Amino acid sequence: MNAVPKTFSQDGDYKIADISLADWGRKEIDIAEHEMPGLMSIRRKYAAEAPLKGVRVTGSLHMTIQTAVLIETLKDIGGDVRWASCNIFSTQDHAAAAIAASGTPVFAWKGETLEEYWDCTLSALSFPDGKGGFLGPQLVVDDGGDVTLLIHKGYELEQGDESWVNAPAGSHEEKVIKDLLKRVAKERPGFWTTVVEGWKGVSEETTTGVHRLYQLAQDGKLLVPAINVNDSVTKSKFDNLYGCRESLADGLKRAMDVMLAGKVAVVCGYGDVGKGCAHSLRAYGARVVVTEIDPICALQAAMEGFEVKTVEDTLGTGDIYVTTTGNKDIIRLEHMRAMKDQAIVCNIGHFDNEIQVDALYASGAVKTNIKPQVDKFTFDGGNSIFLLAEGRLVNLGCATGHPSFVMSNSFANQTLAQIDLWANKDFYDNKVYLLPKKLDEEVARLHLEKIGVKLTRLSKDQAEYLGVPVDGPFKPEHYRY
Amino acid sequence: MNAVPKTFSQDGDYKIADISLADWGRKEIDIAEHEMPGLMSIRRKYAAEAPLKGVRVTGSLHMTIQTAVLIETLKDIGGDVRWASCNIFSTQDHAAAAIAASGTPVFAWKGETLEEYWDCTLSALSFPDGKGGFLGPQLVVDDGGDVTLLIHKGYELEQGDESWVNAPAGSHEEKVIKDLLKRVAKERPGFWTTVVEGWKGVSEETTTGVHRLYQLAQDGKLLVPAINVNDSVTKSKFDNLYGCRESLADGLKRAMDVMLAGKVAVVCGYGDVGKGCAHSLRAYGARVVVTEIDPICALQAAMEGFEVKTVEDTLGTGDIYVTTTGNKDIIRLEHMRAMKDQAIVCNIGHFDNEIQVDALYASGAVKTNIKPQVDKFTFDGGNSIFLLAEGRLVNLGCATGHPSFVMSNSFANQTLAQIDLWANKDFYDNKVYLLPKKLDEEVARLHLEKIGVKLTRLSKDQAEYLGVPVDGPFKPEHYRY
Amino acid sequence: MNAVPKTFSQDGDYKIADISLADWGRKEIDIAEHEMPGLMSIRRKYAAEAPLKGVRVTGSLHMTIQTAVLIETLKDIGGDVRWASCNIFSTQDHAAAAIAASGTPVFAWKGETLEEYWDCTLSALSFPDGKGGFLGPQLVVDDGGDVTLLIHKGYELEQGDESWVNAPAGSHEEKVIKDLLKRVAKERPGFWTTVVEGWKGVSEETTTGVHRLYQLAQDGKLLVPAINVNDSVTKSKFDNLYGCRESLADGLKRAMDVMLAGKVAVVCGYGDVGKGCAHSLRAYGARVVVTEIDPICALQAAMEGFEVKTVEDTLGTGDIYVTTTGNKDIIRLEHMRAMKDQAIVCNIGHFDNEIQVDALYASGAVKTNIKPQVDKFTFDGGNSIFLLAEGRLVNLGCATGHPSFVMSNSFANQTLAQIDLWANKDFYDNKVYLLPKKLDEEVARLHLEKIGVKLTRLSKDQAEYLGVPVDGPFKPEHYRY
Amino acid sequence: MNAVPKTFSQDGDYKIADISLADWGRKEIDIAEHEMPGLMSIRRKYAAEAPLKGVRVTGSLHMTIQTAVLIETLKDIGGDVRWASCNIFSTQDHAAAAIAASGTPVFAWKGETLEEYWDCTLSALSFPDGKGGFLGPQLVVDDGGDVTLLIHKGYELEQGDESWVNAPAGSHEEKVIKDLLKRVAKERPGFWTTVVEGWKGVSEETTTGVHRLYQLAQDGKLLVPAINVNDSVTKSKFDNLYGCRESLADGLKRAMDVMLAGKVAVVCGYGDVGKGCAHSLRAYGARVVVTEIDPICALQAAMEGFEVKTVEDTLGTGDIYVTTTGNKDIIRLEHMRAMKDQAIVCNIGHFDNEIQVDALYASGAVKTNIKPQVDKFTFDGGNSIFLLAEGRLVNLGCATGHPSFVMSNSFANQTLAQIDLWANKDFYDNKVYLLPKKLDEEVARLHLEKIGVKLTRLSKDQAEYLGVPVDGPFKPEHYRY
């Protein structure tokens, strides 16, 4: 059982649960390095050159063992790094301890309140200027876009537009952010303007965060160049798909020890994440029902033998619900009221608004905590449901997230994106960029040897026949893999 | 057993194996219509409007039952259609008979010689002008690009560039084409120029043919606007993937009645076609080895649990070889010599040059015909291999190709592409276009009801949150499905 | 297309469709021998010894290419063999031709009438005595028990019990049998008594036939020792399961070319055959619903993720129905009337009474023959269904049955059973025996090398720890595999 | 992290880690009851009748949440129950706490030493006689046979046969047992004779324990009637197969967070446990290699597409090793030395001697503890392996064992066996019995409703045709499911 920490280790420039876990964290980091060949290869390749030498980098990304390997890679190639988690439940406390112990400022523990979470985010982007004040990051590694949001909103306020900050908050979290911005406005006037002046770019790795970036860019409001890491093939078709195929069941098992065989599992959304989830659950012998809005994805689900229905049609038969959509209000209060007794409800999408958690709390249902991240809600009628990780990412809240090997792909992309952003800081516009296919193929290539894959090589003659270079890239841009 | 026809039915403006098979063909067309809801829905929608009214359309596409439904759709929306198959083995003779019997000129039978094949192609694009001469097509439905090739090469010759026609042929087929062009040059001077004057567009549905089109466009030589139907999601992620998942094993079984369980099957290439083949063979209990040149696809194969090696590494253990690459010289003569005794070798890519068939014929190996499309080659050493369909598409040569439902997706795209090309004939440049995502989603939508899929609908609120229209399109252009 | 033969080749002691197919048959027998390592190994081992030297053997078993290898094995070890098929549609005419051409009396063709079928069975058990009369078989190889039934019923009649023969027939087939027995009673008085005097044993390989044998034994009516080949592990867990996993889809594809992905397939029964069928259909992307009477098998289906319902609950949604039960009246006329338009109905159990075919014929539904073994029945309401192989084994009626490799296991058991029966003819009682586990393991062992399996060997120490011999048998009798 | 307890809660007649965990344990027991419909149904059915009223029952079975439901079922039907775990790592401390808190004597905690373990076993079978002495159990619920072993060995000693006790011990555990017996001989002379006088039967649920029982019975040494629960279909084909399919990956993930996709996993043994493991790992995208001694199981593995080799052949390529055999010395020291760096080695068979753990400890390899139940051993050469749960059951040592639903099947069989043993205590011989098929089917039936299965019912006519009762049992004894 992982309990919410009551006391913190914060002797240095960090705030974490327990520094005594550092040794254990270090042992697991050692194991993870072995499982992250692509990221380690990039670390080795660029260590001497140090392309991020002295660059201030803020990361907002689940503070796990794998992320520790990313952090130490960014440092080894020169970065001056500060870090926070991007989810209140996703920190592995021993990972944070190992990072803190090695001297990197980190602000993260498992089971933060929302107020603590946003304070941590602020700490992560506040680089002491040596004169008692703060500088901001020059580069941001983002996952979900919270750092990007905070900077944009803070800057907007300092530019004189108070409309958003003063508008009534639509959720508790929104209120927390607004309160924070008001406090910063008092305590550090002009801070966000300073931050924006120094900020050169952001790389973002989640569908949801990327979506926000495209909207900012479309509205002409994006303040820096951005690299969409999510849509590298070696990210979206690996982390989202294969990562979730491994970590969803892991979260369900650690939380509920439930038998999946014979159960009716409802997977909301059949994008890459939904595909990974649906196939994993079926492999366990669950009968999977998919819900979809997109006819193409729905037809894909049907071609794979999944029944495609609406959430409403599953109420009373569904045993397990998983949201994977990136959209909000997928599982609504009225759904939860009508579910089979002891149905399990969880989310593996980036934000917790896929399930109407606020409405559930306000519904009068009696909440019984079973263990951390597992709550039972009993409705008037007597039937109850289990909500995992309070609606936040179940694989990170109830287990340890994706395994190292797949994260090596994602973080290799992140690292290459950071290097690229800095190298091109004077050439890029405030737009959203993708990494070139050549790099995407390189990331894949760096992972093959570890798992014993032997590639075939094109002959010159064959390459000419295909009209591609002998060493790639091999596919047209629109190729879907 | 389907035998090479010695006599033909050719009383009308057609050349087929046996007109007496028309009734049987019609019965199967009736069944297929039931399984092709998308295509039939488009037929019904546009029949009154007749957007192709009087337009001369030449099709070069496997003359199967499913294609018959496409042909009759093109006719019902106004087209003046002539048809040939795009492969010497892919015609279903009863399908051709039914089409001929209904008055559509069709030139196709199972087991054509290469000379006959190209004559058929010429017949399909020769519309009688009523004055003893010929007009060409205004639109072309192409699969593999043979009609497009012939027109381009014929036109090039009439423009005075004789270099290609007079160069030594690299293969027997190339010689056949050159001989044909020389004959046409004599018999119908100026024919290709007339054809090109009237030609307004081509829609192409195979990876290989699309590849040719992009090369022509890149070289500035493309004579008409082209629509790349292959890369509609509802084509490449359905026909290529799910179609092959069903039809590869069908071809292998009809040809060899072989047990797949326990065999080592080598799938060359892990694109959409390779993915479908590899998963099908594994589901039968075969142990599948994949070969790849592209590190991303190789990593995908490994993540699905397939061993990835080179062809060379499998010699002696591989029982079944399938090429799916779109590339040439994948299975070479030296490979075949070194294979396990009685290995089965086949291809499901568009062209037969994936296997070195010519070299095999010239190798001195003793050929024993087992039944049509199944030949045994015995080498000096005494070991032998089976070659299916002479290296041509095994699913069409040894079975009946993809099933109706998946072809309904592909042909719905083809039909929409033809309508679009004609509607925009005055606006499009001589480039390669993709159909808009909206149409792609529409094609999928038209297939959902038949298989009982119930879509979820976005609320207005959700659509705003996502920043997409309530009715789609739902995904960004770079989305990979 | 395989057509019902109008003329027969019957120059010698055989009756088959077309002797000119013998060469083709021989080529395929050669291929099959390569795929039947266990059976060929037994052939080689016992050829010199000839344990069945001069023994009269009647076989009633699907006259396929694989059976041809069995027949020639029985001959090579000394047997004097006569053969008939055990199903009107299951003969491969080129296999029968090759067997006839090699001098073995065979009476079988694809598409027999029931009258012809039972005449063939009689011919197969009538060994000319050289004096114008007939002797019966000394051993019988049975599949479904038709030869055993005929002898028992004939003998019962000659013993003076006319009750069965004179009772009204419950089906057309029953009437055919009774008519035959009456005719034989006239033409060959005392024939069955002679047969029974010489008869020493029967080996039976199907669940249904074995069931009949146990009932006869239980009633004290079994006339000879019998070996239950079906329940050798290397038969029931291989032929029934893996055989059907390969041949069901083959039958469906050759008959209907239907897309299986996205369809709702209803598999009636989840025994070994049903398990093979259900897993095969799911692998194609069909959504499989199982029906069961046995709670254990039903729970197994549920644990594998299949929905378990009644046939009634699937009407209107099921696209494909497959019966696998060994029971009768599974798909009833009222079911067929209520099915989704163009549903496909077929059976893969031994007898055709799993589907109420007689009732369907008598129902007034309009029958349209699409091609051999594919009939469409249209009901008053306008909806129609497809019935495959007239309700007989779809894998044998519409395709070529199980592939060679798996049949090598079954037929190795059959051959060992025949040898055993003859060797122990003076020791066995008129009971049903199983082959010893040692032989079962031997059959498996003979198939491993061909597919590259490398066994681990127990050390003496390990064998002692387990309390089993180093070379097996390794498992207790009740072990289920 | 679960740490070895330094202090115990032992205020009452129990010895457990921490009584304060009782509330949490109770909440999880409540959840489990919902997931164990068969066991709860039997509890309700027999509660009034109380067939075990006052009967002393000793259980030696993993002290998990699921076992808590079994214990409370045995109590509700009248039993006087004492309990110990049957593995040093398999106790869930909150489950033990809840049981202790409810007044049942329980002696178990996670991380016992072997000395503690056998002391606990002794405590579980020592029922205070109210006069300062002890009575033994009347019935035993055994898993692995440790209680049965202890009683037999103790009795043998009291019968005057000191040969075993005085022989040199072959392992540390053997020494612990011998020391215990010597101590008991001093402290409680005649104890075992008293125990045996009152003992009426044992039900045993594991392959290994059953194997021991058959050997005792064969040698004429079995002291009581025994019921083999393991070979109820609803045990061996469910718990062993589907249980391991869920819990192996769970153990691997909680221990190592390792990516399974792309890894080479070697599963030693392809019995029911091995089948569950192999299919689970493949579903994650691992490439699974199977090792086997039994040609039938090896052929099954090959038919499912697994490569079958020896352990030796996988050294250098295998990433994960799992033993499932019930045999000893499967993974030997020389194997571990030659494994790929950072290979993971674990066991899911009942005893830890499948891996040569003792030899590993004595090898000089440097042991680094990563976290409880995860140790890294580094060899001279520099390469290292991870050993999970010290070679004991990885699913119980590193995760929480099988999920509730499947254990409901096993424990329903255990409960029915206990009732049966007591009811027939005057009729049974000292042999090993199986539960009748009728009860096996009943156990399955009790689990169907919970997961929405709807059985089909035989008509009277169909039942007669099959020759089985309308309500079953439906299959012959030799049927394998």
Side-chain angles (χ1 to χ4, degrees), chain D residues 191-207:
Chain D
F191 173 66
W192 298 112
T193 305
T194 309
V195 169
V196 171
E197 279 166 13
W199 191 20
K200 299 302 179 191
V202 58
S203 58
E204 164 62 50
E205 74 166 42
T206 283
T207 312

Side-chain angles (χ1 to χ4, degrees), chain C residues 58-89:
Chain C
T58 290
S60 164
L61 203 158
H62 313 289
M63 182 59 250
T64 63
I65 290 292
Q66 290 75 34
T67 301
V69 183
L70 169 60
I71 290 170
E72 301 197 333
T73 298
L74 293 171
K75 290 184 68 178
D76 276 13
I77 63 171
D80 174 9
V81 182
R82 299 177 72 83
W83 214 265
S85 202
C86 64
N87 182 294
I88 60 175
F89 289 133

